[in-house]
Amino acid sequence: MNEHEWLARRFEQNRPHLRAVAYRMLGSLAEADDAVQETWLRLSRADRDDVDNLGGWLTTVVGRVCLDMLRARRSRREESFDTYAPDRALSTDDTNPEDEALLADSVGAAMIVVLQALPPAERVTFVLHDMFSVPFDEIATIVGRSPAAARQLASRARRRVQGAGVSPEADLVRKRAVVDAFLAASRSGNFEALLEVLDPDVVVRADAAAVAMGAAGEVRGAQDVAETFAGRARAAQRALIDGSPGLVWLQGGRPRVVFAFVISDGAVHEIQMVADPERIEALAVAMI
C-alpha cells in the first residue's frame, strides 16, 4: 500500500465523524458532503509533516471549511432563519438515503433550526466544543479569536440554544434512557416493558449480511418487534453510533452487528441492523 492509498483509507475511517460535524454546522447533508470533500482535497495537498494527529487535523480543517461556507451563505443572503428548513434525506448516486435519514434524525430538526439562527462563529464554536469536545485552544485557531473569546462565543451560543428549549445533552440523555430501557427489557424477556418503549409503527430493517446471519429482512409493528427481541440481546452492548445511542454485538472485540436506533418522543421508531463489514467500517462506533 503506497502513501496515497494509506492516507485515503485513514480519511475514509474519519469520514463519518467529519460528515456528522459538518451536518451539525451546515444543516444540509449535501453541503456537509461538499465540506468533507473539500477537507479531503486539502489533506491531499498538505505537507504530511504538519499532520501530527490526523483526526484532530481533519476536524480543524472541516471546521474552517464550514465556517467559510457559513460566512459565504450569510453574505449572499440566500437564506434566512424564517425560511430555512433543515435537510432530511438528500440522496446522491453514491449515498444511502437510509444512512442519511439516520444522521438527520440523530441531530433533530429542532436543534438544526436553532443552530441556523446562530452567527457563524458562534455556531462553529458551539458545535465543536459542546457536541464534539474540541478544546477551545484548537477552536480559537478556526474562528480567528483567542481561546478566551472562543469560550465566550460558546457560552453565548449555549444561552441561545438553552433559551430555545433545545439541549443536545438532554436529548442525548433521553435517547440513551430509551435504549437502556429497550436493552433491559429485551435481556429480561419483559414483553410489556418492550412495548412501552416501541412506537406502534416501529420497523426493524436488516441489511443483507444480517439476513444471512438469520435476521428477518424487515419486521413491522410493536407486537412483532417485541416478539423478535424479547429474551434476546444478552450479548449486546451500549454504544454511540455516529453520535446517537445504539447497541453493538461484538465478536473478537470488533463490532459484528450494529443496531442503529431512530428515537423520537421517547419511543423507538426504527432499528437498523447492520452486519456488512464495509458499512460498519464506515460508521463511527464508540462503546459507552
Side-chain angles (χ1 to χ4, degrees), residues 142-184:
I142 298 173
V143 297
R145 310 283 182 90
S146 67
R151 187 182 299 273
Q152 291 177 348
L153 286 173
S155 178
R156 190 156 57 238
R158 196 176 301 116
R159 288 195 297 270
R160 292 175 188 255
V161 170
Q162 292 172 349
V166 181
S167 167
E169 293 86 358
D171 187 53
L172 184 63
V173 169
R174 287 192 293 267
K175 289 181 178 180
R176 283 190 62 175
V178 172
V179 173
D180 287 349
F182 174 91
L183 181 59

Side-chain angles (χ1 to χ4, degrees), residues 102-140:
L102 280 174
L103 175 58
D105 284 338
S106 74
V107 185
M111 171 58 73
I112 291 298
V113 170
V114 172
L115 291 177
Q116 290 295 319
L118 300 177
E122 284 188 20
R123 191 183 319 171
V124 169
T125 303
F126 176 81
V127 168
L128 289 177
H129 183 266
D130 284 45
M131 293 185 170
F132 293 95
S133 302
V134 177
F136 284 118
D137 287 349
E138 297 179 20
I139 296 173

